[in-house]
Amino acid sequence: MSVLRCTSLVLREWRRRFAPLALAAGVAWVLLALGSDSMSMPAICSAALVWSAPSADTYAFFFSYVSPLQLAISWAFMVIAMMLPALSGPLRHVRERSFWRVRSWAELLFAASYFGVWMLAGIPLLGVAITLRLALSSSALPLAACLIIAFIWQISPWKQVALNRCHRRPSLAAFPPAAYGNVLAWGMTYSVWCISSCWGLMLLPLLAPSHHLPFMAIVALYIWTERLEPACAPRWQFRVPSRTIRLIARIAATWRQSPGVASKTHSAASQVPPGAMPRDNSDNYIKGVQP
């Protein structure tokens, strides 16, 4: 009964916290998939042999093909689909630090300030992606250059500084209007450090128009896994999502366990005579010796 009760509590907590975020992100993924032709940057060939700075006429031609409003809508759906699942931890902190009368408004204000900063960050990120696509002759060159830059940033100590800032949970006021001001400020601050952490990764889907959704899925999964890792000292290192790997291995080991293992254990235990006492191996365990 205790196992079933714990399982039900975990499922209820998951439905309350993560399910709404996953549902909203899923809707954004569906809309991106259905409108993949209209919600991604088009594949426009550059007239340059290797590199040529785009002229004003080149930009005008690009924006005659895809409007700024279309880019803004696609960027909004991209941010919602990729970053919303990673907000479960901060939203939980807002929920636990707010009274129930202000809880919904606090969560809404935090999410609004967070995505507002992300929308502003889309201007330079989209600008860099468009410029690289128009300046380089091959569509693979911008993606290769971005992969190198993103990898260097991922192993740098400054990346870890940004990640450590994302792990911080500040104190929040309990009563409005101070509570609303705190969540607005923290939403903007958290978004700035989040952008600082994964700006290089967010450029990858923008520079791969033919594989936009697969790159989005890979980057979103990686961002979610690295947020599960604890904070550590900033240094040059390749960060492996060890906590996620252990979690997947634990789940896989549970699934591999056959249903007959429990029945065999039960039958072996039933063969012990009723009056027999199990051997006491406490001394062996204290000494570190297995029986």
Side-chain angles (χ1 to χ4, degrees):
M1 290 298 293
S2 61
V3 175
L4 294 177
R5 184 179 180 182
C6 292
T7 305
S8 63
L9 290 176
V10 170
L11 291 176
R12 185 169 58 185
E13 182 68 15
W14 184 88
R15 286 196 300 265
R16 187 179 65 180
R17 287 180 46 215
F18 191 76
L21 301 179
L23 179 62
V27 172
W29 279 103
V30 171
L31 292 176
L32 285 171
L34 293 177
S36 58
D37 295 334
S38 60
M39 290 190 178
S40 61
M41 291 208 314
I44 294 181
C45 297
S46 173
L49 295 177
V50 179
W51 164 268
S52 177
S55 62
D57 294 335
T58 306
Y59 284 109
F61 172 75
F62 177 86
F63 286 111
S64 67
Y65 189 82
V66 53
S67 65
L69 179 60
Q70 180 180 341
L71 286 176
I73 294 175
S74 65
W75 175 252
F77 280 113
M78 178 178 170
V79 172
I80 292 173
M82 297 178 66
M83 305 307 300
L84 195 58
L87 284 184
S88 59
L91 286 176
R92 179 184 181 183
H93 180 72
V94 173
R95 184 179 182 86
E96 292 176 347
R97 297 299 185 275
S98 304
F99 290 114
W100 68 272
R101 292 188 178 184
V102 301
R103 188 170 296 160
S104 300
W105 281 107
E107 292 177 336
L108 181 61
L109 289 174
F110 175 84
S113 61
Y114 176 83
F115 286 109
V117 177
W118 263 108
M119 291 302 296
L120 293 177
I123 299 174
L125 290 176
L126 288 171
V128 170
I130 293 171
T131 301
L132 288 176
R133 293 272 304 280
L134 296 176
L136 295 175
S137 58
S138 174
S139 60
L141 289 178
L143 182 60
C146 185
L147 279 171
I148 296 174
I149 295 173
F151 178 77
I152 295 174
W153 177 254
Q154 286 296 120
I155 64 175
S156 69
W158 304 286
K159 160 75 176 187
Q160 188 61 54
V161 170
L163 271 180
N164 292 344
R165 294 281 184 169
C166 291
H167 284 291
R168 289 188 176 181
R169 299 294 183 262
S171 58
L172 302 174
F175 300 98
Y180 298 148
N182 287 166
V183 294
L184 277 173
W186 184 42
M188 290 186 287
T189 304
Y190 185 80
S191 183
V192 168
W193 288 114
C194 184
I195 295 167
S196 302
S197 172
C198 54
W199 61 269
L201 296 175
M202 295 295 286
L203 279 174
L204 296 177
L206 298 176
L207 296 173
S210 57
H211 302 87
H212 184 67
L213 291 179
F215 269 90
M216 277 184 57
I218 294 173
V219 170
L221 181 62
Y222 184 81
I223 291 174
W224 180 73
T225 55
E226 71 177 3
R227 297 297 172 86
L228 299 178
E229 300 300 315
C232 63
R235 61 180 182 273
W236 288 95
Q237 62 175 338
F238 182 75
R239 298 167 185 84
V240 179
S242 57
R243 180 173 293 183
T244 305
I245 293 175
R246 291 195 302 267
L247 178 62
I248 294 175
R250 191 179 305 167
I251 295 174
T254 304
W255 285 350
R256 283 199 305 265
Q257 186 177 6
S258 61
V261 172
S263 61
K264 291 179 181 178
T265 304
H266 179 72
S267 61
S270 62
Q271 295 177 0
V272 179
M277 296 295 294
R279 187 178 59 180
D280 187 6
N281 296 309
S282 57
D283 295 337
N284 293 332
Y285 281 108
I286 293 175
K287 296 176 182 179
V289 179
Q290 298 292 333

